[in-house]
Each structure stands twice: as structure tokens, then as C-alpha cells.
Amino acid sequence: MGILKFYFSFLIDFFFPISCVFCERLDILSRKIGICKKCYHGFPKEAEENGLCEICKTPLSEETCDYCNSRNIFFSELIFLRLREKIEKELIQNIKFHNKPYLSLYFRIGLRKKIRNWRKKQYQAIVYISSNKKTLKKRPIHPCKHIIDYLTKLFGIRAINPFQKVSSQLQSGKSYRDRFVHAASAFQIRKKYENKLKGKYLLVDDVFTTGATINELAKILLMNGSESVDVLVMTKGKQTTSNH
Ligand SMILES: [Zn+2]
Ligand SMILES: [Zn+2]
């Protein structure tokens, strides 16, 4: 780090210190990720990853995966950084709606290890979707920016947004079934990328809820020449299948 850059970051830190989003304490860790040491160490330990579907990481009740069996899955593997529990929900809310993108650094802890099997895959690019124009004004920084920046450096590749939103409706608020129906027509490939993709892609997004949108985006990538698509999300809901 250059000396100027160092002083600059020191000044930023001095004038805009980041206190803990949970308790407002200020310490070395909260300055970095917006969560203080005390809160961080008080978080419940991560659950074991045994007994999950190898593709979509849904807990398996039997030998087979209900989620993957009930539809065509277009991505090769999903990796989530944290399960969506109370803390993760609060962090995502703060990242997305209270303009605190640095909180995503919490999800970056341990990321390198989680994706170790993907290091040799030689992705063509990191793929992301941008928020729609309405939310873009309130949220100028992509919720996954820090994760995307880290991955582009790690893999030495660029990040692209090859999708165009063709429906202004939001997924949230829709019923489980409607999410899948809507997702199928919500996005299309930009002209520039039409049938121009090749090789493997890594799709990065904030949350995997029903997976409707993510699966549809993976499908669009495949339809336009991609060989395979892996997915990385910051958090995943415990249950991906509908109870209704
Ligand atoms: Zn705290
Ligand atoms: Zn599955």
C-alpha cells in the first residue's frame, strides 16, 4: 500500500469510523467489516455441511434431492457462504437497504477455502445481475461488490453483467409457484453476448431463496454458449422447496 493511500484510508477511518451494526461498539474488526469482535465471536458456529445435496445444497431427507428432482437444474453446483439465519438476514437487510455494503466482508471470511475446488476451473468471467433502476438509486453499490472484486482478483478474470431485465416486477412478494413462472420471462441476454459465450462461468448473487431467478439465469448462459455455470451466493435459505 502506498504511503498516500495508507494515510488516506487512515483519515477515512478517523473521520468515518465504522461501528458495529449490532451493538455500535468500535474496534479493530468493526472498522473492517462493520461487526465488532465481541459480536462476531458470539455468533453461533456454522452448521455442518454433511447431508446436503451436492448440487443445490438442500438438506437431503432421503437419498435423493426433492429440489433437483422437481425441476431442471441448469447450474452445476451451488456454494453458499452462510446459511440464512437471523444474523445473516439482518446483515443482508443492512447491505441492501441501509447502504452498508462493507458488511458483505463478513461473508468473505472463509470464502477462499469454500471455493478451493473451483480454483482449477478456469472460468471465463464472474457473472452478476444488477439491481433494477428503482433500487439502483437507493443502492448504488452492488450488494456483492466486495465478493465480486475479491473473485476477479483471485481468478484474474473480469466480471460481466450479460443480462437485461425485461420485467419490472420484483420476485419478492410473489408466491413460491409464481416466482418460477415470473423468473422464466424476467431476464434476457444482452445483444452483445447473444450466442457469444463459451467455457465456464461463475454466477454470483446475494441470496438463494427459491433459486428461481438463479436457475433461469444459468439457463440463459447455457443457451448462449456457456459450457457450465457454478453459483456462489452469500446466503441460502434453509428450505428451498415449498411446503405448500
Ligand atoms: Zn458488536
Ligand atoms: Zn439438489
Side-chain angles (χ1 to χ4, degrees), residues 36-117:
C36 76
K37 273 188 188 168
K38 200 171 176 208
C39 287
Y40 180 80
H41 291 299
F43 289 169
K45 288 271 170 290
E46 259 190 274
E48 286 284 326
E49 283 187 30
N50 299 329
L52 302 182
C53 168
E54 280 180 16
I55 296 164
C56 74
K57 306 291 159 68
T58 295
L60 297 177
S61 46
E62 304 285 327
E63 291 277 287
T64 58
C65 173
D66 290 343
Y67 186 79
C68 290
N69 281 340
S70 63
R71 73 209 73 227
N72 289 320
I73 303 294
F74 297 103
F75 51 85
S76 305
E77 188 189 356
L78 168 95
I79 288 182
F80 62 93
L81 299 174
R82 295 282 188 283
L83 262 186
R84 196 151 154 253
E85 308 273 9
K86 197 169 160 272
I87 289 157
E88 287 75 13
K89 266 185 201 159
E90 212 169 318
L91 288 173
I92 294 284
Q93 282 291 318
N94 272 289
I95 292 168
K96 291 175 80 159
F97 305 111
H98 301 287
N99 209 18
K100 295 181 177 175
Y102 50 83
L103 288 172
S104 65
L105 291 170
Y106 166 73
F107 296 96
R108 214 180 72 183
I109 297 167
L111 165 62
R112 201 187 168 93
K113 201 175 151 205
K114 289 214 171 193
I115 58 164
R116 63 185 177 277
N117 292 335

Side-chain angles (χ1 to χ4, degrees), residues 1 11 16 20 38-39 73 107-108 119 143 160 169 211 233:
M1 196 189 283
L11 282 176
F16 307 99
C20 176
K38 200 171 176 208
C39 287
I73 303 294
F107 296 96
R108 214 180 72 183
R119 293 292 297 276
I160 59 169
Q169 294 174 38
V233 292

Side-chain angles (χ1 to χ4, degrees), residues 69-219:
N69 281 340
S70 63
R71 73 209 73 227
N72 289 320
I73 303 294
F74 297 103
F75 51 85
S76 305
E77 188 189 356
L78 168 95
I79 288 182
F80 62 93
L81 299 174
R82 295 282 188 283
L83 262 186
R84 196 151 154 253
E85 308 273 9
K86 197 169 160 272
I87 289 157
E88 287 75 13
K89 266 185 201 159
E90 212 169 318
L91 288 173
I92 294 284
Q93 282 291 318
N94 272 289
I95 292 168
K96 291 175 80 159
F97 305 111
H98 301 287
N99 209 18
K100 295 181 177 175
Y102 50 83
L103 288 172
S104 65
L105 291 170
Y106 166 73
F107 296 96
R108 214 180 72 183
I109 297 167
L111 165 62
R112 201 187 168 93
K113 201 175 151 205
K114 289 214 171 193
I115 58 164
R116 63 185 177 277
N117 292 335
W118 287 356
R119 293 292 297 276
K120 50 185 183 301
K121 285 217 177 181
Q122 297 192 311
Y123 295 112
Q124 295 292 318
I126 304 294
V127 175
Y128 65 94
I129 41 168
S130 64
S131 341
N132 62 32
K133 286 202 183 86
K134 234 195 236 162
T135 45
L136 204 63
K137 262 189 201 153
K138 282 184 259 165
R139 194 199 307 159
I141 299 175
H142 196 280
C144 305
K145 186 188 184 299
H146 291 297
I147 309 274
I148 294 169
D149 286 352
Y150 178 80
L151 292 171
T152 52
K153 265 193 202 132
L154 185 71
F155 291 120
I157 51 178
R158 67 210 165 101
I160 59 169
N161 170 17
F163 307 109
Q164 193 173 343
K165 202 156 194 204
V166 286
S167 155
S168 56
Q169 294 174 38
L170 290 173
Q171 280 291 82
S172 47
K174 290 197 187 311
S175 74
Y176 186 79
R177 188 186 159 275
D178 284 352
R179 280 182 176 229
F180 284 90
V181 175
H182 173 247
S185 58
F187 291 92
Q188 65 186 30
I189 195 98
R190 287 180 207 276
K191 262 266 165 311
K192 187 180 157 192
Y193 296 100
E194 212 176 319
N195 296 318
K196 298 251 168 56
L197 302 176
K198 55 177 196 305
K200 299 166 180 149
Y201 290 85
L202 175 53
L203 177 60
V204 177
D205 207 0
D206 50 358
V207 185
F208 188 99
T209 314
T210 62
T213 301
I214 284 173
N215 197 35
E216 207 53 47
L217 296 176
K219 181 183 171 188

Side-chain angles (χ1 to χ4, degrees), residues 215-231:
N215 197 35
E216 207 53 47
L217 296 176
K219 181 183 171 188
I220 294 173
L221 295 175
L222 293 183
M223 282 170 65
N224 286 280
S226 167
E227 178 190 311
S228 69
V229 180
D230 287 316
V231 179

